[in-house]
Every structure is written in structure tokens, then in C-alpha cells.
Amino acid sequence: MDDLQQLVQKLQNTRHLEKEEWAALIRGRTDILAEYVFSLTRKERHQYYGHDVYIRGLIEFTNYCKNDCYYCGIRKSNAGVMRYRLDEEQILSCCSAGYALGFRTFVLQGGEDGWFTDERMVRIVGAIKSRFPDCAVTLSIGERSKESYQALFQAGADRYLLRHETFSAAHYSLLHPSSLTAASRQKCLWTLKDIGYQVGAGFMVGAPGQTPEYLAEDLLFLEKLKPHMVGIGPFIPHHATPFAGEPAGTLEETLFLLGLIRLLLPKVLLPATTALGTIAPNGRELGILSGANVIMPNLSPANVRENYTLY
Ligand code: 5AD
């Protein structure tokens, strides 16, 4: 057994690694090491979850966004996007379609769209919860005030997804304009947790400027935050963003990180994301085999999907 395999065992036994150890594992990834990790994660996942895969219905209800993240296709400077918003009835009809298919969690995801004030969001969440009382509502609508998060929680929202994107302030500022900061992002996550939401954090794999050390910091942050869900997927360059010419994250590194996260947080909900399915035709299946246990099929109306292109 080599040093890196021993580190993997240490991770499984103690659910902790030092920053340098994380970076060494990530730097030293080989197919053999990855297979070793996956042989452990499949057992871990099975121990807590059997063969269950959890299904969450994704409803992309607005692609308006006030932010200008350098990686994202729906950034406000991208004038080539046809902007749309779904109204309450359209959102409810996505939920109905999902409900009939057996979905019991709806994830409302959108850009940071000022049209969806607290009042409007509270109405929508309330309407979903009263029409589908046995369903969970997850929100993924970016950074808002504590009062706003509180109001949405009171309206019935159960969970909130907000990727931290990257823990490092220096790396964060390479991916975002200066109006957005790592500190404010992380503060939102702690606030959401405080309020009582089940929270999801996460990051892109292979984002421009990412290093094994930055990823190590992301994993240390996850250890501290202990989120219920961790969403990770490969960075995919979008043609109409400043990162158009950057290379994409790889399937192999994403799968390896899914495996490491399963070992760090054995009970975490770990989606095999759409981005993973985009870089490889069997990406999501491989994600499940690497340790993921959630799939988030798209419930958005077919005619708006082409406009919700993050990558
Ligand atoms: N490639 C991959 N993932 C992306 N996201 C945004 N843009 C891209 C891209 N070009 C991810 C971000 C965001 C989530 C909703 O989608 O991590 O949090």
C-alpha cells in the first residue's frame, strides 16, 4: 500500500486530513488511486443509503441575474441571452408534472433577479407548499439578506443551495467582480444554517486558477460547515464569457473529488450534476459509481431550457 492509499485510509478512518494531505492526494491522483477511492465510497454509500438514488426536480424559473460572474453564461453582461421568468402558475405546473412522475422535492433555481422580491418568493413557496404539502422546497436563488432567508424559511422553504464556489478569497476574486466576495458568500451559508435550512455548498472542478491547495481549502471548509448537500461539477467554458478560452474541468478529477467528499462526509447528499453529464455522455452514471447519490432532472418547460445555459 503506497503513501497516498494510506492517506485515503486515514481520511476514511478519521474523516479529516490536513491541508497539505488533501493537496497531495489531489495532486497525486492516478487511475489506480481513484479506483481504490471508489471501491471504498461505494461501500460507504451503500452502508448509509443502500442502493437509493434521490431525485430532485429542478425548475429554472428565471435567467435574469444582476451579477456578472466571469464563468457564468447568464451573467448580466451577456446580451445574447433571451431573458425569461416563469410566473407562479408556470412554476406550479412544473411541480404538478414532477409530482405525477413521483418527484417530492422541487428545486427552484434562478439568477439573482430583483423581480423576485421576498413578497413574491414567499407567495410562490407558500403556494407550492399548500398545493404539495408532502413535498420539500429547495431554493437556489443566491445571496440575500438574513431577513429574506428567514421570511422564505417561514414560508415553508426547507433547503437552500448556494455553492461557495471557492473558499479562498484570492481565488474568489479571480472568478467574480469585486462586488462579490468569498466572505459574504460564506456568511450567507452560515446564516442559512443558523436559520434551520438544510444547506448545500459546492464548487466547480477545474475552474480557472484553481490549484490543489485551493481545493484543499474547499474540503476543509466543507468539513467545518458540514452541509447536507455538496454540489460539484466540472467547469465548462461558456463562449460568451471572459473564460471562453479556458480549458474545461475533467471528468476524472470531478469523479475523484466526488469520491473524496463521500469519504469526508459519508452521509452527505451528493448530486451527479448536469455539468458532469455534459462533459461525458455517461458522466452522471459514473458519478453515482464514484459516490454520488442524487440526480436532479430538469422540470423546466422545454421552451425556456435553451435560455438557461450556464455553460
Ligand atoms: N461551468 C460549470 N458550472 C457553472 N456554474 C456556473 N457557470 C458554470 C460553468 N461555466 C455553476 C456555479 C453555480 C451553479 C448554479 O452553476 O457553480 O453555483
Side-chain angles (χ1 to χ4, degrees):
M1 167 148 319
D2 70 18
D3 291 356
L4 293 181
Q5 288 194 349
Q6 269 172 21
L7 275 184
V8 172
Q9 284 203 334
K10 176 182 169 189
L11 169 60
Q12 189 181 31
N13 293 332
T14 67
R15 311 294 180 194
H16 171 80
L17 287 180
E18 301 299 324
K19 180 174 170 186
E20 257 323 299
E21 296 176 320
W22 279 122
L25 264 188
I26 292 162
R27 229 183 282 115
R29 174 178 54 82
T30 59
D31 289 351
I32 292 169
L33 184 66
E35 266 318 313
Y36 177 63
V37 168
F38 303 151
S39 71
L40 302 179
T41 56
R42 283 196 283 265
K43 276 187 226 143
E44 292 268 7
R45 188 163 60 89
H46 190 251
Q47 180 174 338
Y48 293 107
Y49 289 113
H51 290 293
D52 293 353
V53 171
Y54 295 86
I55 305 295
R56 315 290 194 225
L58 186 64
I59 302 169
E60 298 157 336
F61 70 101
T62 172
N63 70 353
Y64 282 86
C65 191
K66 69 171 163 52
N67 293 330
D68 223 8
C69 307
Y70 303 147
Y71 46 83
C72 185
I74 62 167
R75 65 201 302 267
K76 81 163 172 222
S77 307
N78 184 2
V81 181
M82 281 257 273
R83 304 284 170 172
Y84 72 90
R85 292 183 180 110
L86 302 185
D87 64 24
E88 188 178 315
E89 269 322 300
Q90 290 173 303
I91 294 172
L92 285 167
S93 91
C94 295
C95 296
S96 288
Y99 194 89
L101 292 166
F103 292 57
R104 294 295 179 269
T105 298
F106 303 116
V107 182
L108 266 52
Q109 185 173 89
E112 291 195 14
D113 178 358
W115 197 85
F116 287 99
T117 57
D118 292 348
E119 204 185 324
R120 289 189 169 121
M121 283 311 301
V122 160
R123 244 187 84 102
I124 292 167
V125 171
I128 298 174
K129 292 297 277 197
S130 71
R131 178 104 65 105
F132 307 98
D134 57 336
C135 292
V137 171
T138 303
L139 297 177
S140 179
I141 51 176
E143 297 188 23
R144 298 173 84 98
S145 68
K146 181 175 183 172
E147 293 65 37
S148 171
Y149 288 151
Q150 193 90 57
L152 295 166
F153 188 72
Q154 255 148 26
D158 305 276
R159 309 180 184 141
Y160 204 102
L161 306 181
L162 183 71
R163 289 188 177 179
H164 67 282
E165 308 297 356
T166 178
F167 176 79
S168 154
H171 189 215
Y172 200 93
S173 70
L174 210 125
L175 302 177
H176 303 92
S178 59
S179 54
L180 300 170
T181 65
S184 133
R185 204 17 91 124
Q186 288 156 31
K187 190 163 171 233
C188 286
L189 280 163
W190 290 112
T191 302
L192 288 161
K193 237 193 148 189
D194 251 19
I195 292 172
Y197 283 96
Q198 294 183 26
V199 304
F203 53 87
M204 293 177 288
V205 177
Q210 189 174 65
T211 62
E213 287 72 24
Y214 286 153
L215 283 169
E217 291 180 32
D218 290 323
L219 294 162
L220 291 171
F221 175 65
L222 293 179
E223 182 190 349
K224 215 162 136 195
L225 181 69
K226 296 186 181 42
H228 288 81
M229 183 180 266
V230 177
I232 69 164
F235 162 72
I236 304 173
H238 183 287
H239 64 91
T241 64
F243 289 157
E246 299 288 331
T250 66
L251 175 70
E252 291 74 16
E253 190 173 26
T254 307
L255 297 176
F256 190 60
L257 278 153
L258 282 172
L260 295 182
I261 292 167
R262 170 65 59 211
L263 293 181
L264 172 66
L265 303 167
K267 294 189 204 167
V268 81
L269 290 161
L270 203 51
T273 53
T274 316
L276 191 56
T278 301
I279 55 162
N282 58 343
R284 287 197 286 187
E285 290 80 353
L286 292 173
I288 298 291
L289 293 171
S290 307
N293 65 341
V294 177
I295 297 280
M296 298 169 70
N298 199 328
L299 286 178
S300 312
N303 64 316
V304 303
R305 282 188 204 178
E306 63 183 296
N307 300 320
Y308 201 89
T309 41
L310 307 183
Y311 41 78

